[in-house]
Amino acid sequence: MTYAVQMKDLAKHYRGFRLGGITMDVPAGCVTGIFGPNGAGKSTLVKLIARHMAPTSGSLTVFGQRYEDSERELRRRVTFVAEEPPFYPDKTVGWTGRFLADFYEDWDQRRFSDLLHESRIDADREIKHLSRGQKTLFALAAAFAHGADLLVLDEPVNGLDVLHRRDVLRRIREFVSDDGKAAVVSSHVTDALGDIADHVAFLREGRLALCEERDALLSRWKLVHFRKGALPQDVAGALLRVEEHALGCSGYTDDFAALRDRLEPLIASGAVRVENAGLDGVLVALVRGN
Amino acid sequence: MRALYKHHGPAFVAPVVNFLLICMRTIDNRGVFLFPLVALLLPAWITASVAWSEKGESEALLRSLPLTDREVARSKFGLALTGMILYWLLITATAVFVSLGTGHLAANIICANAVWSATLLLAGLWYVGIWSVGFHRIVPALIAFIAVDVAATTALMAAAKATRVYYVAAFSEVWRAPAPALWAVPVMLTVALLAYRALMGVAARARAKGVY
């Protein structure tokens, strides 16, 4: 497997916040979702990946290269789309396109214009008059036009209406369909991005809580519903975030395979019911835990 | 890079026109003694240009472009230097025009270049500050500097005109003293340009640290 981004013990400290011990790999050809509650360090991590800030310690390579050695090359290959894309607000879409084109030798103006047209973005409109969704689509169009290899997005669907959200997610998926490209997307909401993420990473209080393939993660994590007292003590004790409801109890397991044999008779008897935890469930269990 | 020059150029070139009007008025008034005070406005003008340019800057956008910190620093310092070269032409020409036949030519030329050299370094220092602590934290200092410089210079000019001795006698005494030799000018300019170049390196390192 080839990796778009590799991080080892990456850390960033600033007043009142510490992101630390981040060791993870972002595979090429995939969308990697970085999830976590507000203040977990997601934006800091994606800014480190896009080199919008320098790490305090640790190593980070993008396509095998360090920013320290190949800054210009990597800045050409990496596109960062902030939550509020930072174009000059008083300039028009067309002007901004020409401004960006000046920095990229292989700028594909036809592709850029087509994508703007598809997104119904008028070239004569000023950036400040675009909606947040349109600004994100504009930034994505620019990434396609200059042939970026790694797309790094910070909360791209936050506050978007359902139509723009679908367009943005479709574009991100389209981006990684090209060979060797990758996308890293941070979000505090898992529902929309969870569907397009092939790999997921969860941050909690500035630490990496887990990082793995989404399907493998979802097959491990299950939400177990059970009647009070129906589960053996050790099984109940192994569950995370056990809650009592009017109709019984529920808790999360992060290793369903280990419990399957013991739960199957109980499932058959109707005392226990198991469902997929979903990324939201995993996030809640990780953050709130026991 | 060309796009950055085009985008930020007006912030450094447009105020030159404004300064030109002040210089023309000084020449028109034969303000041989007022000239040093006019030159003192230069730091405020370049500070305003830096503030204007950086106010509309998008640091996040710059960091998204395939530019190294050194290249960004070079383009911003290049812009400021372009503006400063225009100011140099202006104040040198003004110094010559107001001083012709007065015996104060050398003194005014040296004064113009001393202020110009200090102003060039000031422009570099503003960038070091902006990239070290962030533009929004530097804004109060930029505004305060412009206000103090313009107010002080205006007050000095008003006092000079009111007393018709072109400010205090002591100042006139300095002006009557033998002027420093003109060869001091290229030395001053060379030192200023070398120091400016060194400041550019410091500014690029400040950017690379990314303390925003």
Side-chain angles (χ1 to χ4, degrees):
Chain A
M1 182 178 278
T2 55
Y3 294 104
V5 184
Q6 293 183 288
M7 292 169 259
K8 191 164 183 209
D9 287 329
L10 196 68
K12 177 71 182 177
H13 303 161
Y14 44 85
R15 200 164 49 190
F17 182 74
R18 294 172 82 85
L19 177 78
I22 306 292
T23 297
M24 65 179 270
D25 298 327
V26 173
C30 295
V31 176
T32 298
I34 297 177
F35 301 107
N38 291 327
K42 304 179 299 296
S43 293
T44 302
L45 183 56
V46 292
K47 282 178 185 168
L48 287 171
I49 293 171
R51 194 60 165 195
H52 276 235
M53 52 171 66
T56 309
S57 61
S59 74
L60 181 145
T61 59
V62 178
F63 298 112
Q65 294 173 298
R66 294 174 350 124
Y67 277 100
E68 290 83 350
D69 304 327
S70 317
E71 187 182 354
R72 174 202 272 271
E73 163 75 0
L74 289 181
R75 286 199 189 282
R76 190 189 63 75
R77 297 183 71 183
V78 178
T79 285
F80 179 64
V81 181
E83 186 176 357
E84 183 74 42
F87 302 110
Y88 300 122
D90 295 329
K91 300 296 182 184
T92 64
V93 166
W95 184 95
T96 308
R98 289 191 296 278
F99 176 83
L100 294 173
D102 195 54
F103 293 94
Y104 299 99
E105 287 168 11
D106 40 7
W107 179 266
D108 186 343
Q109 184 60 36
R110 175 174 287 186
R111 184 102 198 258
F112 181 67
S113 301
D114 288 349
L115 290 170
L116 290 186
H117 183 70
E118 266 181 46
S119 305
R120 293 172 297 281
I121 298 173
D122 181 1
D124 294 329
R125 286 199 88 182
E126 289 177 355
I127 294 288
K128 66 185 171 196
H129 292 135
L130 298 182
S131 68
R132 182 179 286 184
Q134 286 177 315
K135 282 183 201 167
T136 302
L137 287 166
F138 173 74
L140 289 171
F144 277 94
H146 75 74
D149 292 320
L150 174 65
L151 198 52
V152 183
L153 303 103
D154 188 17
E155 304 277 6
V157 294
N158 197 15
L160 300 196
D161 63 59
V162 65
L163 295 175
H164 278 129
R165 192 167 65 184
R166 275 179 50 163
D167 287 347
V168 168
L169 295 176
R170 188 168 51 83
R171 278 278 187 270
I172 297 170
R173 231 13 283 182
E174 196 181 318
F175 181 84
V176 296
S177 65
D178 284 354
D179 271 354
K181 306 216 173 195
V184 179
V185 190
S186 85
S187 181
H188 65 278
V189 286
T190 55
D191 55 352
L193 285 168
D195 294 340
I196 64 158
D198 306 294
H199 278 69
V200 290
F202 286 83
L203 289 180
R204 180 181 57 194
E205 295 170 0
R207 314 290 297 187
L208 187 64
L210 65 80
C211 175
E212 65 180 284
E213 214 176 309
R214 185 194 59 174
D215 292 344
L217 176 93
L218 292 179
S219 68
R220 277 197 308 116
W221 281 78
K222 300 288 178 189
L223 177 59
V224 181
H225 298 277
F226 55 96
R227 281 205 304 267
K228 196 174 180 184
L231 284 184
Q233 197 63 37
D234 59 323
V235 174
L239 297 180
L240 292 164
R241 192 167 167 73
V242 176
E243 289 179 325
E244 263 191 61
H245 318 289
L247 298 173
C249 307
S250 66
Y252 292 92
T253 174
D254 61 353
D255 192 1
F256 179 66
L259 299 181
R260 185 194 300 268
D261 289 346
R262 304 195 54 198
L263 290 179
E264 263 172 3
L266 298 166
I267 293 169
S269 71
V272 168
R273 186 167 57 84
V274 175
E275 64 179 66
N276 289 327
L279 293 178
D280 266 347
V282 177
L283 180 61
V284 170
L286 281 172
V287 174
R288 297 276 156 78
N290 283 324
Chain B
M1 294 282 267
R2 198 183 55 211
L4 272 186
Y5 277 100
K6 266 173 23 191
H7 181 52
H8 291 285
F12 289 93
V13 176
V16 175
V17 178
N18 206 296
F19 201 77
L20 171 69
L21 297 177
I22 296 172
C23 289
M24 284 170 70
R25 195 178 163 128
T26 310
I27 295 168
D28 199 34
N29 291 344
R30 298 177 190 282
V32 60
F33 295 108
L34 278 179
F35 173 75
L37 296 176
V38 171
L40 284 180
L41 285 173
L42 196 51
W45 250 247
I46 199 70
T47 300
S49 288
V50 171
W52 177 9
S53 165
E54 289 303 299
K55 178 179 166 285
E57 188 49 283
S58 168
E59 198 52 48
L61 176 60
L62 279 188
R63 288 190 178 278
S64 303
L65 299 172
L67 293 173
T68 63
D69 290 311
R70 187 161 282 279
E71 285 170 329
V72 173
R74 201 182 302 149
S75 68
K76 296 295 178 88
F77 273 64
L79 275 164
L81 182 60
T82 305
M84 286 301 293
I85 289 170
L86 295 176
Y87 285 120
W88 184 85
L89 293 170
L90 263 183
I91 59 168
T92 303
T94 309
V96 170
F97 279 120
V98 297
S99 310
L100 280 176
T102 65
H104 298 296
L105 178 65
N108 274 341
I109 289 278
I110 286 173
C111 170
N113 282 279
V115 174
W116 187 89
S117 301
T119 305
L120 184 67
L121 299 187
L122 178 75
L125 284 171
W126 285 131
Y127 279 113
V128 173
I130 288 166
W131 291 333
S132 295
V133 300
F135 177 68
H136 62 287
R137 290 200 188 140
I138 287 284
V139 166
L142 291 168
I143 293 171
F145 184 88
I146 294 167
V148 168
D149 189 14
V150 172
T153 308
T154 310
L156 287 173
M157 281 183 184
K161 281 181 182 167
T163 57
R164 300 182 68 80
V165 291
Y166 300 102
Y167 205 49
V168 289
F171 197 72
S172 302
E173 285 304 314
V174 172
W175 241 230
R176 287 195 194 103
L182 277 175
W183 61 257
V185 170
V187 173
M188 217 158 29
L189 294 181
T190 306
V191 170
L193 287 168
L194 289 174
Y196 187 67
R197 189 191 158 104
L199 276 176
M200 189 172 76
V202 175
R205 282 195 291 279
R207 269 188 71 79
K209 281 187 182 169
V211 188
Y212 302 4

